């Protein structure tokens, strides 16, 4: 099949004069160059231009990621340092940060990594923020009982916490 097409092409060119063959050859070369430009060079050049436009934004994102990675490492180190004091110390330190230091009705350290506690009635926003801070430190709530107070917006907590890292 391919051989037939080549033979027909040779027969066609054999019937042409030298000048016509030269014009056909020049036209074929020009067509080949134009196809190469349109199908290979131009799409690659356009893609390169688009990448060059996006590069500054991607470099800025990379710098931001590196800064965030350094901040994450700093925070992990800080959390690791605070985690070395035992769960009881971490819970009491976190509670003091939120002004809850004297709010415990009961506080029992069952082991170095397990604590049970009860609080006096606390504002909802305060105890939710405090529990979120404990979670960021790797403290997990094993059991939680929330009892509403007579005063609106206040609740008493009975918690079992463990210091297991995630």
């Amino acid at each position: 099949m391919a051989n037939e097409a080549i033979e027909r092409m040779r027969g066609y060119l054999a019937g042409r004069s030298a000048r016509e063959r030269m014009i056909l050859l020049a036209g074929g070369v020009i067509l080949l160059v134009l196809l190469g430009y349109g199908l290979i060079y131009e799409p690659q050049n356009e893609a390169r231009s688009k990448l060059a436009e996006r590069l500054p934004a991607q470099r800025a994102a990379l710098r931001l990621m590196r800064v965030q990675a350094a901040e994450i490492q700093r925070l992990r180190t800080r959390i690791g340092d605070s985690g070395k004091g035992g769960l009881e110390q971490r819970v009491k330190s976190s509670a003091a940060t939120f002004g809850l230091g004297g709010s415990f009705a009961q506080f029992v350290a069952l082991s170095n990594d397990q604590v049970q506690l009860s609080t006096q009635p606390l504002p909802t926003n305060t105890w939710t923020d405090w529990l979120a801070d404990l979670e960021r430190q790797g403290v997990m709530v094993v059991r939680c009982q929330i009892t509403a107070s007579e005063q609106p917006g206040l609740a008493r907590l009975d918690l079992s916490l463990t210091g297991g890292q995630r």
Side-chain angles (χ1 to χ4, degrees):
M1 198 168 185
N3 289 335
E4 291 177 20
I6 292 173
E7 288 301 320
R8 274 191 280 157
M9 182 71 80
R10 282 187 182 160
Y12 176 77
L13 290 175
R16 304 287 166 225
S17 68
R19 182 175 175 192
E20 286 178 333
R21 284 194 300 256
M22 195 56 87
I23 290 173
L24 288 173
L25 179 63
V29 169
I30 290 171
L31 181 64
L32 188 61
V33 169
L34 289 175
L35 283 174
Y37 177 81
L39 297 176
I40 297 172
Y41 176 77
E42 185 58 30
Q44 286 183 352
N45 192 34
E46 187 176 323
R48 185 195 56 79
S49 296
K50 286 180 182 178
L51 287 173
E53 289 174 8
R54 292 192 321 224
L55 185 62
Q58 289 177 343
R59 283 186 175 157
L62 177 62
R63 283 192 300 272
L64 177 62
M65 283 186 237
R66 285 182 176 157
V67 167
Q68 290 173 339
E71 177 69 9
I72 288 169
Q73 188 62 36
R74 185 187 66 79
L75 290 173
R76 281 185 179 160
T77 302
R78 191 181 103 207
I79 288 172
D81 291 344
S82 67
K84 291 178 184 168
L87 180 62
E88 180 178 0
Q89 179 183 346
R90 290 165 41 198
V91 171
K92 286 183 178 179
S93 172
S94 178
T97 303
F98 287 88
L100 304 175
S103 299
F104 297 123
Q106 176 188 8
F107 193 101
V108 179
L110 301 175
S111 67
N112 195 34
D113 68 340
Q114 199 169 25
V115 170
Q116 283 187 340
L117 61 93
S118 297
T119 67
Q120 298 171 356
L122 302 171
T124 303
N125 291 342
T126 304
W127 65 260
T128 55
D129 291 343
W130 174 54
L131 289 177
D133 181 60
L134 288 173
E135 183 180 9
R136 280 190 293 276
Q137 294 183 35
V139 177
M140 295 188 317
V141 176
V142 177
R143 184 185 62 82
C144 178
Q145 181 178 355
I146 303 169
T147 308
S149 175
E150 290 87 32
Q151 295 178 329
L154 298 180
R156 190 170 83 69
L157 302 175
D158 292 315
L159 299 170
S160 290
L161 305 171
T162 185
Q165 296 291 327
R166 285 192 220 175

